[in-house]
Amino acid sequence: MVDLNELAGFLNHFLQAERFGDDLNGIYHPSSRSVARLGLALEPWNGISEWAIAHSIDALFLHRPWNLDRSIWPSDLGILAYHLAFDEGLTLGFNPCLAAVLELNDIE
């Protein structure tokens, strides 16, 4: 397991987040909880905090966090937010690196 700071450091380096200094990069909601299970969402929806609890995630990677109501977010669930760095590094075209991380096979 890793902590949220270690995970943010890895993603900052991997996504080269420093290229997008004025954008959301890194820890959006801090937590000291160790991360064994990471959730992924493009943007928040009504009930996302219940979803996170039901799926026993330790932290959430949230692409567009602007509409998240942090007042109802569990205080011990960390959030990492990357907008432009995620767009540039993980969503453009054929991405074998992302496929390998997600353990996808036979990508086309």
Side-chain angles (χ1 to χ4, degrees), residues 31-82:
S31 171
S32 59
R33 178 189 261 188
S34 294
V35 180
R37 190 171 173 102
L38 180 67
L40 171 64
L42 293 181
E43 55 191 37
W45 64 88
N46 289 335
I48 191 171
S49 59
E50 291 83 3
W51 171 85
I53 293 166
H55 287 84
S56 302
I57 67 168
D58 301 308
L60 177 67
F61 182 112
L62 190 55
H63 177 51
R64 294 183 292 262
W66 302 287
N67 294 325
L68 179 70
D69 183 356
R70 283 194 276 181
S71 69
I72 61 169
W73 186 256
S75 62
D76 66 334
L77 287 179
I79 299 174
L80 297 165
Y82 292 88

Side-chain angles (χ1 to χ4, degrees), residues 4 22-23 28 32 34 41 58 64 72-73 93 97 99 102-103:
L4 201 61
D22 293 337
D23 196 43
Y28 187 71
S32 59
S34 294
D58 301 308
R64 294 183 292 262
I72 61 169
W73 186 256
C97 182
L102 296 175
E103 298 179 9

